[in-house]
Amino acid sequence: MLAGTCVYVLISLCGGKDSILASRQLQEQKRILTGKTDEIQRIHDRLNLECTALEKDADVIAAFARKLGFVQDGEKLVKINGLITAADYVYDAGRVSKAVEPFFLPEWFCKLLGVVAFFLVYGLELARDLRVWLFERRRAGAVKGIPVYDLPQI
């Protein structure tokens, strides 16, 4: 029973749901998601700064209006083919990251391996005991009477 329990505990510790393997996978996923969060925060800060500039700075508003094709009185507009216009520019809002379930061995599988280890060790011990009982008994022969040992007398 001890062998089966030890196998179950070791397999659960190394490959079970709350194992070292699953923990490492979750830590790696946390590192990736933290990096993505930092990237999204930088995008947010840049867009927030651009939004504030578009709300309050007249020069930025005028430059953005020129990108859209608007002109002030007395200005002339020259269009050059092949340049990216403001309508073609797409803001990058980051990439979708989906959490992935970590790989682990199911609990029933860990228990099954523990039971198999128990029966394997039990069968080996039973075979050893049967071998001793069948073959060792024949070799020894029957001893009749009380065994006497030659011990020095004091």
Side-chain angles (χ1 to χ4, degrees):
M1 193 67 164
L2 177 66
T5 304
C6 288
V7 167
Y8 166 70
V9 168
L10 286 175
I11 290 174
S12 293
L13 184 66
C14 295
K17 186 175 182 179
D18 297 324
S19 67
I20 296 169
L21 176 67
S23 175
R24 285 185 181 166
Q25 291 174 15
L26 288 173
Q27 286 174 349
E28 178 64 20
Q29 189 173 18
K30 178 183 175 185
R31 186 189 64 76
I32 290 170
L33 290 176
T34 301
K36 297 286 184 181
T37 303
D38 293 341
E39 180 184 343
I40 291 171
Q41 185 63 43
R42 283 192 301 275
I43 292 169
H44 172 71
D45 293 341
R46 190 187 76 222
L47 290 174
N48 196 18
L49 182 66
E50 191 172 327
C51 181
T52 303
L54 283 172
E55 288 176 345
K56 299 183 179 178
D57 192 356
D59 294 332
V60 174
I61 295 170
F64 193 72
R66 283 189 198 101
K67 283 183 183 178
L68 292 175
F70 294 103
V71 292
Q72 289 181 348
D73 293 336
E75 283 186 340
K76 293 183 181 181
L77 181 63
V78 177
K79 289 190 176 184
I80 301 174
N81 290 333
L83 293 179
I84 297 174
T85 62
D88 295 337
Y89 184 75
V90 177
Y91 289 99
D92 182 21
R95 287 165 201 79
V96 176
S97 292
K98 189 174 182 180
V100 179
E101 283 292 319
F103 170 76
F104 58 88
L105 296 173
E107 188 70 20
W108 65 266
F109 186 74
C110 298
K111 289 179 180 177
L112 178 69
L113 287 178
V115 169
V116 167
F118 163 72
F119 281 117
L120 182 67
V121 170
Y122 182 74
L124 290 173
E125 290 296 320
L126 186 63
R128 186 179 63 109
D129 288 345
L130 282 174
R131 182 179 55 88
V132 168
W133 185 70
L134 290 175
F135 297 115
E136 301 283 328
R137 187 177 65 150
R138 288 183 188 166
R139 272 193 254 155
V143 176
K144 295 183 179 171
I146 300 173
V148 178
Y149 300 100
D150 188 20
L151 296 174
Q153 299 293 323
I154 299 180

